[in-house]
Amino acid sequence: VQTRARVSTKVVCKASTEEKTTRRGILSLAAITAVVAATTGNARADLTSDLLAKSELNKALNDKKRLATSGANFARSRTVTD
């Protein structure tokens, strides 16, 4: 008859400091992101209105250039013969 010795194994789970650091880092990053997102709302509105104003000015300038080119091409077509 064979007898086996019993081996007891203890498993201990400990929270490592790396996990706490990671959680702390994630929470601080989330907090910073929230603050930045809250403060850039007004900046985006200002930027959008500035870009729209520039776009209107550029459109007016380009319309004038297009009209001048169109008039010059029309005049050239009347003076040049094939």
Side-chain angles (χ1 to χ4, degrees):
V1 175
Q2 293 181 349
T3 60
R4 291 187 174 180
R6 285 188 172 188
V7 177
S8 66
T9 306
K10 247 187 201 182
V11 177
V12 178
C13 295
K14 292 183 181 180
S16 69
T17 57
E18 291 177 12
E19 289 178 14
K20 290 180 184 177
T21 304
T22 304
R23 286 188 201 133
R24 187 178 305 137
I26 291 172
L27 289 176
S28 64
L29 180 62
I32 291 170
T33 303
V35 168
V36 169
T39 57
T40 58
N42 292 336
R44 286 185 184 167
D46 293 340
L47 177 65
T48 303
S49 62
D50 290 345
L51 290 176
L52 285 173
K54 271 187 178 180
S55 178
E56 290 175 11
L57 290 175
N58 286 337
K59 183 182 181 316
L61 179 63
N62 288 333
D63 285 345
K64 289 179 185 176
K65 289 179 182 178
R66 192 178 309 113
L67 183 61
T69 303
S70 176
N73 288 341
F74 181 73
R76 191 177 309 116
S77 71
R78 298 293 175 222
T79 58
V80 177
T81 57
D82 289 331

